[in-house]
Amino acid sequence: MNKLIYGVAYYPEYEHENRIDKDFEMMQKADINTIRIAESTWSTWEPLEGEYDFSILLKTLDKANEYDLNVIVGTPTYAVPAWLVKKDPDVLATTENGRGLYGPRQIMDITNMTYLEACENIIRKMMEAVQDYECIIGFQIDNETKHYGTAGKNVQDMFKTYLINKFKTVENLNNLFGFRYWSNSIATWDDLPDVLGTINGSYAAEFELFQRQLAANFLLWQRHIIDEYRRDNQFVTHNFDFFWKKDALAPFGHSFGVQPGINHLEASKATTLLGCDIYHPTQDDLTGAEIAYDGDSIRSLRNEQYLVLETQAQAFRYWTPYPGQLKQQALSHLASGALGVEYWHWHSIHNSFETYWKGLLSHDMEENAVYREACEVGEIFKNISHHILGAYKRNDVALIVDNRSQTALKYFPVGDKEDEPDAQYLSYNDITRAYYDALYEQNIECDILDVEALKDSTLDYKMIVTPALYVATEETISILRRFVEEGGVLLSSFKSFFVDENVQVRQAKQPYNLTDVFGMYYQQFTRPGKTKLCGEPVDVWAELLIPDKDTDYVMYEHKYWGNYAGITRNKYKKGSAIYIGCWCAKKVLKDEIRNAAEIANIRIESNQFPIVIRNMTGKDGNVLHFIFNYSENENIVICSYNSAIDILTGKSYSAGDNIIMSDWGTVILMERLEIA
Amino acid sequence: MNKLIYGVAYYPEYEHENRIDKDFEMMQKADINTIRIAESTWSTWEPLEGEYDFSILLKTLDKANEYDLNVIVGTPTYAVPAWLVKKDPDVLATTENGRGLYGPRQIMDITNMTYLEACENIIRKMMEAVQDYECIIGFQIDNETKHYGTAGKNVQDMFKTYLINKFKTVENLNNLFGFRYWSNSIATWDDLPDVLGTINGSYAAEFELFQRQLAANFLLWQRHIIDEYRRDNQFVTHNFDFFWKKDALAPFGHSFGVQPGINHLEASKATTLLGCDIYHPTQDDLTGAEIAYDGDSIRSLRNEQYLVLETQAQAFRYWTPYPGQLKQQALSHLASGALGVEYWHWHSIHNSFETYWKGLLSHDMEENAVYREACEVGEIFKNISHHILGAYKRNDVALIVDNRSQTALKYFPVGDKEDEPDAQYLSYNDITRAYYDALYEQNIECDILDVEALKDSTLDYKMIVTPALYVATEETISILRRFVEEGGVLLSSFKSFFVDENVQVRQAKQPYNLTDVFGMYYQQFTRPGKTKLCGEPVDVWAELLIPDKDTDYVMYEHKYWGNYAGITRNKYKKGSAIYIGCWCAKKVLKDEIRNAAEIANIRIESNQFPIVIRNMTGKDGNVLHFIFNYSENENIVICSYNSAIDILTGKSYSAGDNIIMSDWGTVILMERLEIA
Amino acid sequence: MNKLIYGVAYYPEYEHENRIDKDFEMMQKADINTIRIAESTWSTWEPLEGEYDFSILLKTLDKANEYDLNVIVGTPTYAVPAWLVKKDPDVLATTENGRGLYGPRQIMDITNMTYLEACENIIRKMMEAVQDYECIIGFQIDNETKHYGTAGKNVQDMFKTYLINKFKTVENLNNLFGFRYWSNSIATWDDLPDVLGTINGSYAAEFELFQRQLAANFLLWQRHIIDEYRRDNQFVTHNFDFFWKKDALAPFGHSFGVQPGINHLEASKATTLLGCDIYHPTQDDLTGAEIAYDGDSIRSLRNEQYLVLETQAQAFRYWTPYPGQLKQQALSHLASGALGVEYWHWHSIHNSFETYWKGLLSHDMEENAVYREACEVGEIFKNISHHILGAYKRNDVALIVDNRSQTALKYFPVGDKEDEPDAQYLSYNDITRAYYDALYEQNIECDILDVEALKDSTLDYKMIVTPALYVATEETISILRRFVEEGGVLLSSFKSFFVDENVQVRQAKQPYNLTDVFGMYYQQFTRPGKTKLCGEPVDVWAELLIPDKDTDYVMYEHKYWGNYAGITRNKYKKGSAIYIGCWCAKKVLKDEIRNAAEIANIRIESNQFPIVIRNMTGKDGNVLHFIFNYSENENIVICSYNSAIDILTGKSYSAGDNIIMSDWGTVILMERLEIA
């Protein structure tokens, strides 16, 4: 890549007239340099089994060449044609809701042989058709792949084999999963019951782990096919998406946290270039938090720059951007380590389903306010490309995330709404995001590591944060012990370390095998009721911590629970370990995290949200400070760098200068190196 | 008809003793002159296939003759006997919820041949049995007919044929429905997927249009059978019902707006006399709005008087009428153009399901407070019959309704609660009723026209109102353009004219092909957030209108959206066009509508709700003014007519006189014509 | 029984190490004298069909002998092994939700022959294995048995036979159930439709009555098998549970009221010792009301002491007991007539589903705060056993409950939330509990009688309370008439006596056949709207009572309904009858009930909730007064007994002495008999 990617998803096959020249001219005017195409086109490329029509695809590539646009071509496998389901209805996954009906995308059984054979065929046919095009810079395999809950007979048969290989004997399974409970134990593998009916959280969680592997394997399989055709300078990427939360901010949902349907770390092995989509609240609710969280997550998979393959231009009525926001959003992505941004999508579509998920162009396909701001973004991208490309982060803090803990807490929720199982009150992601956001809003940058990555990590972080790390292996715990022993600061939340990898509660005082490190233990927990901590109410969950003699602590405020601590802080060997035993107020959480960062000797910004500062080092060694004002009010930031220049405006600042941040404004300060 | 119909639904087959003489004596005492029978009696008339027992029916008719009661006989086809479903389980419709279980009414597949043959047979047998009875004044075909969501294989096969006839080629369908989206396009008609699974709004909407036709055709088919038996002086009617809304006012639901399950205009062709049922809030919530809206809807189908075949006597615990309300309700129906009112039902039933849907008589079958007030109503009806029969309305305003827009907005909801698809927040009917109610509460009477009726209309209205006319054909738009050109006032709401008849968004600036008429255009819309208009909050939806230079407008109040208008008013050729681009406060809506009516030179009453005034012209040319006080407080109205007489009391009023309106009181002023 | 039972449910088969000696030592230390085992162990005892392994069971019994622990052995039939469902999938019940998947307990078809044969076999095999153990004091048959909604073809076939036997002719059924409504009548028994689809409340209610009989018969059948093996000094018990209410107090639910899935009176015939489980709110929400209600219910089945087979130790996060509460709860059970308390369960389990339903021991299996308080309870139980065993109550008040009324009000709900059918707003249990709680909080003790028990009752109560006795047979009404005639005080709520045993509304003025007794009648009812009674708002339901001339009454406060009474009080022959016609404020209800008790010459305590006083007479004739302070605040009670001693502390009190009640404190005063 020699310039930042600025692009759009483009679906000429949806258009009702021949607009390709007009579209590309408008893109050129906006300095858009890349289009992403083809990922949902199967029925257009192969209208009948074995009959192919790549005319739209080839014409688009020809024109892209003509207009000097780069192209990312997707494999069209995430939405199947009707004929494939007519041929074999089992192409549609059987899930806990039975077998779906044809219509939506992403409801296939990704292990079905009919589907896989048809996938391989259309991928090969398409690759043969496009392999000689120079304008293609890379390929996207499938799209937002997950396991889609596939759980039909064939999947459960594979799962049985998996269990036999992993656990060897039914007796072992009975013991590790606690299958004797409610008479669920089995004496032969043939009696293994349908996992869809189970009430056993260990069994259900193991199945979801297995399902995530199916999704990762599917992507790896596609990668191998692509590798047979692609040139060395063509990348392979995938559009990873995040847990999609529906809330008052976004009735249709937005990117929020850890994706339960596939493990990003495992699946990213199928890619040569990291990619993802990020959709986030806008208007009054634009905070940059999702852009930062999702970007940090993807970047941390390999500590590499990544591509935002999709993000909103206008999207829904609640996301129509205010003037300035489109620009701020694009620069926010860069500040997390993106090497490009692609809007979903070029133009709003006129039928079907996502008609109100608006593109850069409204349905009239003409210039509009958002398009005009996109032109400004294109201009900026062109100008700052050389500063951003190759830039990297080196963070002092790692936040640990874990699909297994997420799954286990789905079956054993913190905030039990058993009568509203979908409510997910205080879900794994709610907790994780609260801890992340407390860092983010105080401008303490972090990497986001899958707990599996801890294994190989050099662990040269100053501080590790484990929110709701409910599942923890002996190995994980050893690593964390060693981290503290050697001088690190560990900050863990309630519910961490409670169960093993089989979702079996540790038969020991909690936190398991870390009571000496944290300098406390607990045997009981409670709904907080009227309990307070640091004068603020506690909600949902409170562990009744019993500190050791020399441990620093904060006691709960409550007639009875006031005999127990809610937070403990312990020095252990060369390091420190802080434990927050309850779902405390945001203010208390932020203070405790800030305090921990100070113990860890991490530099703390005096500016806080809505001023957000994110830092990178360019490949030329220059330090870049992205300063954002996520507010409709003007704000002033005092420059804390000796000498710096805003690469957006060329304006220079010295230490102590006022930097005037306009509403939804961005400044990118490049520090002048004293001795360069 | 030579007198107003005053009647009850009567089900002697439910009674546990022989009460017919007692019932008819009590009816006579109340001046009830009509009974409606038989529409849910199939299992009683034909207890086993091919075995008939009309004894209760014939006895009832004999007795009706004896007591001089008129009878409306219904075909018993809306609730099937158990033996019919045992014979062919496919008699029950397959819907999106699968196939129902026997028990409820109105869950048949109205295209099933077993059902249709059995229907025809029982109708013919019943007609043969009753055709000679003089007391029968008319027949009701079926009851509250709708398509019941029928979507089984046979229905989808018919739909395929329908599509082939209408769209000719799959390529045409792919284009018009946008089927290439998510790989839904097809290359042969055989690949047409199950409509129940589709995510394509165009395909789903077309199917609902087709289903509504099935329902209308079913009624027409029954009409033809009846025609073979009935005398010329016997009418054929149908009990049309309205969208049934469940809300805090009525947990069990009440009549609210446009019926999505059948098109009233299309289906009314099967009738010679218009009929409907109207259930509405009562007690503190009695406003007369549903009585007016539903009555205006039915009357406008042919600009004829109609029969209220069902309305509540006591019904549910929340509708037990206050003293005076039963009387006010009956007169409210007449004020909309009814030529009679029939209660559902004579007596409360003692088992089964609608046990708490109480009749005129409570379960004790004795006189009670409501029955005693019904006797007063009977007396009044007798006295004023000659004034009301043959009376007609001529309104200046037409409000346009449209089943297609309703369906399309179900798939593309204004207020997206995608996570609560049944919530229907700000549904088509919510918008339509808000506009209707704004007229109603300001005493601006209107006709309610199906958009299909616009075709042939003479369009001699002064003002046309289009709330949420989301689907609009080129022809509809032409008619409206012409209407304004020739001097009419068009008032349209947000979301009007957005898509074509295939639910394809117009690829043009909005409002499509009317930007010159309205003197503005818009490309964007937004959730209003903190936006205000005329100092009042805006909710859910705001289009960002860009007025032309000479267009009058009201700007939004908002830091960013304040650059756009929320309301525009334009003079265009001889007429005017007003556009309300958002879901504004009720007060703002009422002011704008009143303002439009003034532009249209429509006479505006100074009285407003809770005083409601509705006007008719008797067949003798006398003008009748119905004045209602929908309030528990006494109110005073100043007489604005030179000389008038209250036909209920005989009291005379001159201009300027105080008319004292008691709580829930009604006065019917007949103007004395100056020169008669 | 020669001592109070103090026990735990014990599941050695769930443990992952051999802890039995350690467990039993810890139990001994806590004076736990009984364990309850085996009720969910089928797959452990019979891992493959016909292969048995009772090793854990026998080892546990051997060790129990060694540690001098009593044992209650359960039949393992409420959770089936996987192999049984593989053998015959119909072992799982078909319900209104279709057929379940294997996994949960209590989802069997209890009439399935495969299931019953396997049940009989495992019971016999287990009984043969354990019959010689001296430590076994009794057996529990099945667990929390209910009908589980079983409604498959075989069940409906049995139901048809039941209907033929009971109703003889279809014509009779058509009449009594009102089957002609909506064409549901049948001419042959073969046309009887699937009850799962019915909208007929009479038919549906009869089926639930039949289902409850199936459940009772299943228990009786197990009892007969056990009888073939047990010794005379071994009891047979069953763990009856109550309606399980999920609310804000307990998202997972808690014991609340009448159990709809089995009739306790009918089913208790299968037991020789009454038993039940009771789970209740704790912490700030501990009121003792559930402990009292459930205990009164079970005790009243035979006016005998009973065993609390399960109650919470720690359970969920919202039930972690405050210091003192575990003790108070245990003593509260004794005050209702329990002869022992067993915690569910000994230790928290480490996998599966109820992992957070914590036992006496937390997951660490070590001593903790709750265990230590349990040791105190054990000590107390040991000390007061001789006072409590054999003690009995003789109450002046009977509260009548009825499964049929409960079912009928499910189909004809008082507060109609038809759009939220599961909401059960103002359900039968809500009403019944409100009346019970009004007694409880005023320290008016009562028995709780199934309406079927009225038949044989000697009726030497002073007052009978009938909340929502919606279904009432002629016989029931006769008994109540006679009760008042002979001097009793009858207090009935709205909705009582409305329908007969076929859920057919009485065709008469209401309250049916009791208008003379109550001295009033009503024909209408209404949603109260703004209505008040005694200055307090009325909610949901108000009958419009018309008092006779000499009847005392309280009028509603409302512009229109103010012409009717909401409460009437009538003297009839030697007795009195009070009728409360609406869902009034709690304060009004409590006052009316207190007033009625005064009319009935019942001694009223001056202390009220949170001070609760419950009384028993020991088998030695000593009168025991349990005084509870359900509050976190200290309270003072004035001693009203001439001379009494607190059997917990040995402290003496005379009349007028201050009894200082600590937070969550209990005092048990034994009155010294003046002349003993």
Side-chain angles (χ1 to χ4, degrees), chain C residues 50 124 157 161 244 261 293 425 440 461 516 518 580 634 641:
Chain C
R124 289 189 183 278
D157 284 347
T161 304
W244 192 248
Y293 175 86
Y425 185 56
Y440 172 75
Y461 294 100
D516 53 343
F518 287 110
I580 302 177
E634 191 179 280
Y641 316 110

Side-chain angles (χ1 to χ4, degrees), chain B residues 421-657:
Chain B
D422 292 334
Q424 290 224 353
Y425 184 56
L426 200 51
S427 71
Y428 173 79
N429 274 326
D430 292 333
I431 300 168
T432 306
R433 275 295 305 275
Y435 277 67
Y436 178 84
D437 289 2
L439 289 161
Y440 172 76
E441 294 183 7
Q442 301 187 99
N443 289 316
I444 304 170
E445 288 198 78
C446 69
D447 290 346
I448 298 178
L449 295 191
D450 190 296
V451 71
E452 294 294 318
L454 265 181
K455 280 182 193 168
D456 313 300
S457 168
T458 56
L459 285 187
D460 48 5
Y461 293 101
K462 294 182 179 171
M463 174 164 146
I464 289 179
V465 180
T466 75
L469 191 62
Y470 185 63
V471 175
T473 62
E474 294 282 0
E475 187 187 358
T476 297
I477 290 169
S478 296
I479 292 170
L480 294 175
R481 289 186 69 89
R482 202 161 355 110
F483 175 72
V484 180
E485 284 169 6
E486 295 175 3
V489 172
L490 173 64
L491 184 144
S492 296
S493 88
F494 58 97
K495 278 284 181 187
S496 291
F497 319 117
F498 204 73
V499 305
D500 70 13
E501 59 271 35
N502 297 308
V503 194
Q504 183 171 111
V505 179
R506 302 287 190 179
Q507 187 169 322
K509 284 200 173 61
Q510 292 286 353
Y512 174 67
N513 205 9
L514 288 164
T515 54
D516 54 343
V517 173
F518 287 112
M520 64 86 192
Y521 72 96
Y522 71 94
Q523 298 181 288
Q524 294 184 282
F525 35 78
T526 184
R527 180 155 68 175
K530 295 174 291 194
T531 303
K532 294 192 171 188
L533 188 70
C534 307
E536 300 283 335
V538 176
D539 197 12
V540 185
W541 185 264
E543 292 161 1
L544 303 177
L545 310 182
I546 301 169
D548 296 346
K549 196 164 60 74
D550 296 328
T551 305
D552 186 21
Y553 57 83
V554 186
M555 296 304 262
Y556 290 119
E557 297 144 28
H558 183 276
K559 175 158 185 174
Y560 303 108
W561 310 138
N563 292 318
Y564 298 94
I567 294 176
T568 59
R569 306 165 189 134
N570 192 44
K571 289 190 192 310
Y572 181 76
K573 302 206 172 161
K574 296 186 196 160
S576 290
I578 294 101
Y579 190 89
I580 301 177
C582 60
W583 181 240
C584 59
K586 185 170 184 176
K587 181 187 175 312
V588 177
L589 175 60
K590 286 173 78 166
D591 287 350
E592 197 61 33
I593 281 182
R594 191 177 183 90
N595 181 46
E598 278 164 7
I599 293 171
N601 281 316
I602 294 166
R603 181 179 174 279
I604 311 278
E605 286 285 344
S606 60
N607 291 293
Q608 298 229 352
F609 183 84
I611 297 299
V612 167
I613 303 178
R614 313 217 351 121
N615 310 290
M616 297 180 77
T617 306
K619 64 174 185 294
D620 52 6
N622 285 311
V623 178
L624 297 167
H625 306 286
F626 290 74
I627 309 177
F628 299 100
N629 179 27
Y630 291 110
S631 169
E632 70 171 17
N633 300 313
E634 189 178 281
N635 273 301
I636 289 173
V637 169
I638 312 296
C639 182
S640 62
Y641 316 109
N642 282 339
S643 174
I645 183 167
D646 179 0
I647 65 173
L648 297 176
T649 60
K651 203 167 165 186
S652 292
Y653 295 94
S654 300
D657 284 356

Side-chain angles (χ1 to χ4, degrees), chain C residues 536-597:
Chain C
E536 301 282 335
V538 176
D539 198 12
V540 185
W541 185 265
E543 292 161 0
L544 303 178
L545 310 182
I546 301 169
D548 296 347
K549 196 166 60 72
D550 295 329
T551 305
D552 186 21
Y553 56 81
V554 186
M555 295 303 262
Y556 290 119
E557 297 144 28
H558 183 276
K559 175 157 187 174
Y560 303 107
W561 309 138
N563 292 319
Y564 298 94
I567 294 175
T568 59
R569 307 166 188 132
N570 193 42
K571 289 192 192 309
Y572 181 76
K573 303 206 172 159
K574 297 187 197 159
S576 289
I578 293 102
Y579 191 90
I580 302 177
C582 61
W583 180 241
C584 59
K586 185 171 184 175
K587 183 190 173 310
V588 176
L589 175 59
K590 286 174 77 166
D591 286 349
E592 196 61 34
I593 281 183
R594 192 177 182 89
N595 181 46

Side-chain angles (χ1 to χ4, degrees), chain A residues 13 17 43 102 105 251 283 314 317 320 350-352 354 356 358 362 364 366-367 632 663-664, chain B residues 176 180-183 185 201-202 412 416 470 495 505 507 509 523-527 540 559-560:
Chain A
E13 68 274 14
E17 51 171 323
S43 69
Y102 182 77
R105 60 181 176 179
Q283 294 185 350
Q314 300 188 75
R317 69 192 163 95
T320 310
H350 300 83
N351 287 88
S352 206
E354 293 179 315
Y356 283 87
K358 290 179 71 191
S362 290
D364 60 10
E366 300 183 19
E367 295 194 5
E632 69 170 18
D663 54 328
W664 313 111
Chain B
L176 295 174
R180 271 177 292 271
Y181 172 84
W182 283 2
S183 201
S185 62
S202 296
F412 298 100
D416 15 12
Y470 185 63
K495 278 284 181 187
V505 179
Q507 187 169 322
K509 284 200 173 61
Q523 298 181 288
Q524 294 184 282
F525 35 78
T526 184
R527 180 155 68 175
V540 185
K559 175 158 185 174
Y560 303 108

